[in-house]
Amino acid sequence: MTHSDPFTHPMDNIEVRPLRFDYTKIEMQDPVWSRSNPLFSIYINALGIHVPYFERFLVMAFRAVRDNIDNEILRKDVTSIIGQEAHHGRNFIEFNKFLMQRYPEVEALDQRAKTYFETRLQKDSQKQKIGYIAGYETFTYLGGMIILEGYDKWMKEADPVTRSLWLWHQVEEVEHGAVAFDVYQYFYAGNEWYRKWMIVKSLSHIAYETWLAYFPMCKKEGYFSSPFKAAKAIGFYVNFSYQLAKNALPVFSKKYHPRTHQEHSFKQNEIAVGWRKAYSKGEDLRDLNNHAVEKLS
Ligand SMILES: [Fe+2]
Ligand SMILES: [Fe+2]
């Protein structure tokens, strides 16, 4: 396994791809963008609101420590994750503005996330920042795997632009899924309990922030108009959050490394491989219709 072969392992060859998505092209301007599973699109929209502010937090925290890393490969990977997350942040902050048109509550949640991460950037110690980022990135990577492997279930029939946004994001989250872990190990190897505590803390934060947005969004979309629909919406939230937590269990092992995560080790996702190859050939991946996605896998 080397960094020179781009497709040997899903985490090889981290590439910064400066895509910008045009949300004015979203079909009917409807934020419930997955017809395969509308609740999935509401959940992932809700989860995504605070994410760009975490991504900015990561960019600033990693820029501050990059020059203290005396390992050329890791330093290069840190530069790559900074580049990827900076572009994610830009696109997701714009997506929040799109969501605000339908859900006015998003404006306050967006501001809340911005304030939270800016405060933490100022007040937290380096260990707190690196630990939190390693914990949080566990779930962006696992979420990436869950979404890519369940592609048909989640978004086989979906709006092309929003689906493309999430494909891009999840492919890249998997690609750089080991970097934050490696940075934590570089500085704090041996602090295993702190690493584990940060996993619990970050998942709690993700789940709570998602709920704060998921509830008003489901309400707006009429899910609380009947007990049956409400149970379905709450059930989806509980089940997806549980999937994230369950997939994180191996992360608590002392021997864990993202590259050898037991369920995903060396397993290549066909869509992700096809996506990366298509990008390297210069194809436009910002507006993928069903046919274009089929061609990827
Ligand atoms: Fe990201
Ligand atoms: Fe990430």
Side-chain angles (χ1 to χ4, degrees), residues 51 54-55 58 81 84-85 88 136-137 140-141 169 172-174 176-177 180:
V51 166
F54 163 75
E55 288 166 334
L58 180 153
I81 192 176
Q84 287 193 335
E85 297 292 21
H88 297 176
Y136 195 102
E137 281 284 306
T140 49
Y141 150 58
H169 187 255
E172 293 196 347
E173 287 303 321
V174 173
H176 71 230

Side-chain angles (χ1 to χ4, degrees), residues 150-168:
Y151 175 84
D152 283 358
K153 182 167 56 162
W154 307 125
M155 56 173 111
K156 190 174 165 73
E157 297 297 328
D159 165 67
V161 174
T162 335
R163 157 209 280 156
S164 301
L165 168 74
W166 279 100
L167 275 181
W168 167 66

Side-chain angles (χ1 to χ4, degrees), residues 78-202:
V78 168
T79 299
S80 301
I81 192 176
I82 287 172
Q84 287 193 335
E85 297 292 21
H87 290 293
H88 297 176
R90 273 181 165 202
N91 281 285
F92 279 94
I93 285 174
E94 284 302 309
F95 192 66
N96 282 356
K97 289 182 191 153
F98 165 74
L99 291 174
M100 282 173 207
Q101 294 168 19
R102 175 138 180 96
Y103 312 111
E105 296 86 350
V106 171
E107 193 170 348
L109 292 169
D110 174 277
Q111 192 56 46
R112 170 191 156 87
K114 185 172 188 286
T115 307
Y116 176 80
F117 282 109
E118 285 178 358
T119 307
R120 296 206 50 176
L121 191 66
Q122 280 182 356
K123 293 195 171 164
D124 285 2
S125 67
Q126 178 181 297
K127 185 178 176 186
Q128 284 171 315
K129 289 177 199 167
I130 301 294
Y132 185 81
I133 291 168
Y136 195 102
E137 281 284 306
T138 304
F139 296 102
T140 49
Y141 150 58
L142 290 176
M145 285 295 194
I146 291 169
I147 290 168
L148 290 168
E149 284 168 21
Y151 175 84
D152 283 358
K153 182 167 56 162
W154 307 125
M155 56 173 111
K156 190 174 165 73
E157 297 297 328
D159 165 67
V161 174
T162 335
R163 157 209 280 156
S164 301
L165 168 74
W166 279 100
L167 275 181
W168 167 66
H169 187 255
Q170 301 316 100
V171 167
E172 293 196 347
E173 287 303 321
V174 173
E175 252 178 23
H176 71 230
V179 180
F181 179 90
D182 289 339
V183 171
Y184 182 84
Q185 295 299 343
Y186 181 85
F187 287 105
Y188 307 111
N191 283 260
E192 270 294 293
W193 282 107
Y194 192 72
R195 181 179 77 79
K196 288 168 188 169
W197 166 235
M198 287 295 113
I199 292 164
V200 175
K201 195 174 170 184
S202 55

